[in-house]
Amino acid sequence: MRKTTLAVSITAAAALLTGVVALADTWRPSDLLARLTPAALRTATTPFSDIFPSDPAFQFSPPEPGSYRLNRLKPAPDGAVLTTNGIQTRLHQLFDEKITLVSFVYLTCGDVDGCPLAFSTLYDIHDASAQLPGLRQKVQLMTISFDPERDTVEAIAAFAHPVSSDPASAQKLDWHVLTTADAEALRPLLDGFGQVVDRGSSDDQINHLLRMYLVDTQGMIRNVYGLGLIDPRLLMTDVETLLMAEAAE
Amino acid sequence: MNRREFGGLTAAAALAMAGPFRAFADETCQSPYMPKITGQEEFVYVWTLGVEGMGDEQDKMVTVDLRPGSSTRGEVIHSLSVGGRNEAHHGGFSADRRYFWTGGLDTNRIFIFDIHSNPAAPKLHKVIETFVTDSGGVVGPHTFFALPGSMMITGLSNQDDHGGRTALVEYNDDGDYVATYWMPTADDMQGAVAVDGAVADGYGYDIRALIRKNVMLTSSFTGWSNYMMDFGQMLQDPEAMKRFGNTMVLWDLHTRQPRKVFNVPGAPLEVRFPWGPNANYAFSTTALTSQLWLIYEDDGGEWQAKSVAEIGNPEDIPLPVDISIAADDQTLWVNSFMDGKTRLFDISDPHNPSQIYEKTIDRQVNMVSQSWDGKRVYFSSSLLANWDKKGEDDVQYLRAYTWDGTDLVEDFNIDFYAAGLGRAHIMRFGSSALYSA
């Protein structure tokens, strides 16, 4: 397999994020800021999904939050991960009893229906979350690289810089951008989530199933999303449904 | 929307095929969540019913070599028996396409085969023995429809009365039980609306989904007491003949909640959605009334169901069984068991299908699988152990044809009885190209 340099990875990551930001900048959420205070989170009648525009690719409206049940599929796995600061920690520690939207990605992925879609969806949620200021105590985002060889701590830090340096980040959801020390450390995470990654091809492309995972405050996987379901409106409706279910328990 | 889930493979295929055409070879009508074969299918897996007094008498997974140029092309290259007869029936790949789940309609055992470690020689990965207790009384695991991270399984029956009232059962990809969703009944509609006076009977059979519309469709058949009965005996039993499903149910895919119940009389079996980005419809056929049905979204955004064509002469009860839509959504293969025929319908106008070709495959025929490019069509023979024809009419085979645009031309034929294998039922394509070594 041909190797890419760190510089190439960072360049690609920066270009990717630039594209993501540009994509996100094409819309302006409606003004819900004044209404959605932390206390209002449990009582607001406007669904979280309303802060996102509808996407023609998803030809249906999200269900009413709380009108359905999210099954407990299985426990999310634990394992050693590295943060953008190079600190080694455990995945379960980072869950921190928050609802977590998890996605496996690699920074140089060029498939528009692959990692960039996951990135842009999470970015949409992250950016719009400023309008739900109480949510960051309960919900967070997480991306884990499945290419630790190229997605080093330096690479993910560079990638995450626009997010971590965002002046408004204190009002938005935390976004943990993670990698692992090596393939051996990554393996239990991939296996535990059921994220298929196939490095059998001869180029830099990594064959992978695009998946996102909704993990509840107890560390249980409550939904798995593939193409056709990775819509911020639907993801946030599930988040809202989980919040309502947990509030009722 | 790109339905092909192996994102990397999409790009790889585009690079490998630099010409203006991109040929696909995978079987059509599968779960859109599954990665697809982008070249020639290499293997066909045949879930095969064991026959008393034949070979080892057990149900088995049979692998037939389809690799072009292979010295064993068109031959059985692997067979894996599972211990006993279970009324082997249907199966489906997991969404990552690494495992092939199959069910036994009589014993309720679910067999999960690992097909990625060595695609030429599947191995048994796990057996679920607790389907009935897990599900709260569902009997007869039938269709296996892949969802991200889980498998949705339709049931045909229940343990209370072995009739047709049944449910959908969801397992995670590890084979652990997740949830049961009982079919709506007239007494418990679960929020669903009956269309045109439909009476929800709670029956089940097949399942498919149109993800872009968040729609899931189920059909209905009959319960254990019928599908395990001798076919001739059942036909003479007026009470038994009343116990067939007459409905299809439209579900909210995301919430797993039933939305509409349609009248589709005469046991609607297979459900197939086309692939087109604007194709908001599905086809099904009714076994007992021999009609082709369209379930479609109308101009007002409401889903409807109507009969759009007859299959053969309904008075002869040709018994339509498996169907397959071509990848370009223009044609539909329809098999009918009793007359052993396959018919090709032009469905370019889905509201007005018309038959354009027919051919007798043999004295009985059941399943049909066509390649993504439509050039290769495979047929198998068995319906159910007690429903297959008797004596010399009971022929069991896998037959491969090429479709040249006007005719089916036989490629090879494997006699499953002569090979001592049993009754050939569902077929699924495999390829080592989907996995690294």
Side-chain angles (χ1 to χ4, degrees):
Chain A
M1 181 177 295
R2 184 164 54 87
K3 308 296 184 205
T4 53
T5 64
L6 174 62
V8 170
S9 294
I10 293 175
T11 302
L16 179 62
L17 191 58
T18 301
V20 167
V21 171
L23 182 68
D25 279 344
T26 59
W27 60 273
R28 287 288 179 271
S30 58
D31 182 16
L32 296 176
L33 182 59
R35 192 148 36 95
L36 288 170
T37 62
L41 280 175
R42 287 189 295 275
T43 57
T45 55
T46 303
F48 292 173
S49 62
D50 278 12
I51 65 175
F52 301 97
S54 60
D55 183 329
F58 304 94
Q59 299 173 6
F60 62 95
S61 298
E64 182 183 341
S67 67
Y68 58 100
R69 180 184 66 191
L70 287 164
N71 298 307
R72 290 174 170 80
L73 291 171
K74 62 178 181 177
D78 195 13
V81 292
L82 294 168
T83 70
T84 53
N85 296 321
I87 297 169
Q88 180 164 304
T89 184
R90 306 287 296 180
L91 193 64
H92 279 193
Q93 282 188 299
L94 293 175
F95 285 154
D96 193 27
E97 296 187 357
K98 291 180 180 175
I99 293 169
T100 308
L101 277 168
V102 180
S103 181
F104 286 89
V105 293
Y106 72 110
L107 298 183
T108 54
C109 180
D111 178 7
V112 293
D113 283 334
C115 307
L117 176 60
F119 281 131
S120 65
T121 303
L122 290 177
Y123 189 87
D124 282 353
I125 293 172
H126 181 261
D127 198 46
S129 66
Q131 300 170 73
L132 305 167
L135 206 59
R136 70 189 312 273
Q137 278 78 47
K138 300 170 183 287
V139 181
Q140 61 184 355
L141 311 177
M142 182 176 288
T143 47
I144 306 170
S145 170
F146 52 68
D147 190 10
E149 189 176 321
R150 288 180 289 188
D151 293 345
T152 60
V153 167
E154 292 78 9
I156 63 170
F159 177 83
H161 181 72
V163 172
S164 57
S165 63
D166 180 356
S169 62
Q171 282 75 49
K172 299 178 180 178
L173 302 183
D174 283 338
W175 186 344
H176 297 288
V177 180
L178 306 171
T179 191
T180 50
D182 50 33
E184 187 179 351
L186 177 64
R187 178 51 53 191
L189 300 178
L190 295 177
D191 290 346
F193 275 102
Q195 171 68 65
V196 169
V197 175
D198 187 339
R199 305 196 59 145
S201 59
S202 59
D203 55 22
D204 286 339
Q205 192 85 31
I206 301 176
N207 298 331
H208 63 95
L209 292 168
L210 178 61
R211 292 285 183 265
M212 294 182 75
Y213 304 85
L214 178 64
V215 179
D216 70 15
T217 57
Q218 304 303 307
M220 291 292 293
I221 298 173
R222 302 297 289 270
N223 214 343
V224 182
Y225 308 91
L227 276 177
L229 298 174
I230 300 179
D231 174 2
R233 299 178 307 154
L234 193 65
L235 296 172
M236 289 305 287
T237 299
D238 279 359
V239 166
E240 192 169 2
T241 296
L242 265 191
L243 285 169
M244 295 167 78
E246 293 184 349
E249 288 173 356
Chain B
M1 184 189 306
N2 189 334
R3 292 170 180 268
R4 302 178 59 251
E5 282 279 78
F6 254 55
L9 284 179
T10 309
L15 288 172
M17 295 179 235
F21 303 109
R22 292 174 61 191
F24 299 97
D26 204 1
E27 182 182 354
T28 61
C29 302
Q30 301 300 297
S31 168
Y33 288 114
M34 286 167 26
K36 283 187 170 48
I37 302 165
T38 53
Q40 166 80 38
E41 64 273 16
E42 293 185 315
F43 310 102
V44 59
Y45 306 119
V46 187
W47 183 219
T48 303
L49 291 77
V51 175
E52 195 171 358
M54 180 178 291
D56 67 7
E57 303 185 331
Q58 300 178 22
D59 294 347
K60 53 184 62 69
M61 185 60 67
V62 173
T63 306
V64 174
D65 188 358
L66 302 177
R67 293 170 293 188
S70 169
S71 61
T72 54
R73 184 179 175 276
E75 297 177 12
V76 173
I77 56 171
H78 188 259
S79 176
L80 177 59
S81 296
V82 297
R85 291 186 299 280
N86 307 270
E87 192 66 35
H89 204 69
H90 278 194
F93 296 122
S94 57
D96 61 17
R97 202 164 172 150
R98 300 195 163 213
Y99 297 93
F100 184 26
W101 294 47
T102 65
L105 293 182
D106 189 24
T107 63
N108 304 300
R109 298 167 81 197
I110 292 170
F111 304 91
I112 305 175
F113 296 90
D114 169 354
I115 57 162
H116 68 280
S117 296
N118 181 358
K123 59 184 179 184
L124 195 55
H125 171 71
K126 182 173 183 174
V127 180
I128 299 173
E129 304 269 9
T130 54
F131 177 74
V132 178
T133 53
D134 287 347
S135 62
V138 181
V139 160
H142 187 263
T143 298
F144 294 77
F145 187 77
L147 298 169
S150 66
M151 182 68 79
M152 190 71 88
I153 305 169
T154 63
L156 295 188
S157 190
N158 68 85
Q159 69 171 353
D160 289 342
D161 63 7
H162 278 172
R165 184 181 57 81
T166 193
L168 308 175
V169 186
E170 187 169 1
Y171 280 78
N172 70 21
D173 275 350
D174 295 335
D176 299 322
Y177 170 76
V178 173
T180 301
Y181 315 95
W182 288 92
M183 304 293 292
T185 61
D187 293 336
D188 182 10
M189 290 294 282
Q190 304 173 46
V193 175
V195 178
D196 294 335
V199 178
D201 47 30
Y203 282 42
Y205 182 81
D206 199 21
I207 183 172
R208 287 293 189 276
L210 183 60
I211 298 163
R212 145 174 73 76
K213 285 285 182 180
N214 190 34
V215 158
M216 191 162 72
L217 263 179
T218 55
S219 56
S220 56
F221 180 42
T222 193
W224 183 94
S225 59
N226 270 4
Y227 68 69
M228 291 305 293
M229 188 189 295
D230 177 83
F231 191 56
Q233 180 186 344
M234 184 191 68
L235 292 176
Q236 301 303 314
D237 183 340
E239 289 304 311
M241 292 304 293
K242 293 177 184 174
R243 295 194 291 264
F244 281 87
N246 295 302
T247 58
M248 293 182 71
V249 178
L250 184 84
W251 300 71
D252 183 307
L253 169 64
H254 188 71
T255 66
R256 321 284 203 248
Q257 293 168 341
R259 292 295 182 225
K260 285 191 171 185
V261 179
F262 299 113
N263 262 323
V264 187
L269 298 184
E270 310 294 332
V271 181
R272 301 288 181 263
F273 281 100
W275 293 96
N278 302 308
N280 300 330
Y281 53 88
F283 283 104
S284 186
T285 59
T286 49
L288 303 181
T289 47
S290 203
Q291 292 180 327
L292 183 59
W293 279 73
L294 184 73
I295 297 86
Y296 64 102
E297 189 185 50
D298 66 20
D299 292 341
E302 290 293 325
W303 285 80
Q304 313 284 358
K306 67 179 180 183
S307 173
V308 289
E310 291 185 339
I311 300 157
N313 180 3
E315 292 184 0
D316 295 338
I317 313 182
L319 197 64
V321 277
D322 199 15
I323 60 178
S324 174
I325 300 177
D328 63 5
D329 303 343
Q330 300 301 298
T331 54
L332 173 78
W333 290 106
V334 180
N335 285 359
S336 47
F337 180 79
M338 295 301 286
D339 59 13
K341 285 184 177 178
T342 191
R343 295 173 172 84
L344 189 64
F345 281 80
D346 178 341
I347 56 168
S348 54
D349 176 359
H351 293 268
N352 294 288
S354 61
Q355 183 180 319
I356 55 175
Y357 176 81
E358 74 176 46
K359 185 183 185 70
T360 300
I361 302 301
D362 210 321
R363 283 162 282 187
Q364 61 186 10
V365 67
N366 188 28
M367 306 304 290
V368 54
S369 295
Q370 66 175 311
S371 60
W372 190 257
D373 58 14
K375 293 179 179 175
R376 293 171 299 285
V377 190
Y378 302 83
F379 297 92
S380 65
S381 47
S382 181
L383 179 52
L384 290 155
N386 290 323
W387 288 29
D388 284 345
K389 293 184 178 179
K390 305 294 193 292
E392 64 180 17
D393 286 340
D394 182 15
V395 286
Q396 299 293 340
Y397 56 81
L398 168 73
R399 286 174 188 254
Y401 292 82
T402 57
W403 171 248
D404 64 10
T406 57
D407 196 12
L408 284 174
V409 180
E410 185 169 308
D411 180 358
F412 64 82
N413 176 15
I414 299 174
D415 184 331
F416 268 49
Y417 272 177
L421 294 169
R423 304 170 186 271
H425 194 73
I426 202 168
M427 302 166 284
R428 287 289 180 265
F429 298 158
S431 172
S432 58
L434 290 169
Y435 320 105
S436 60

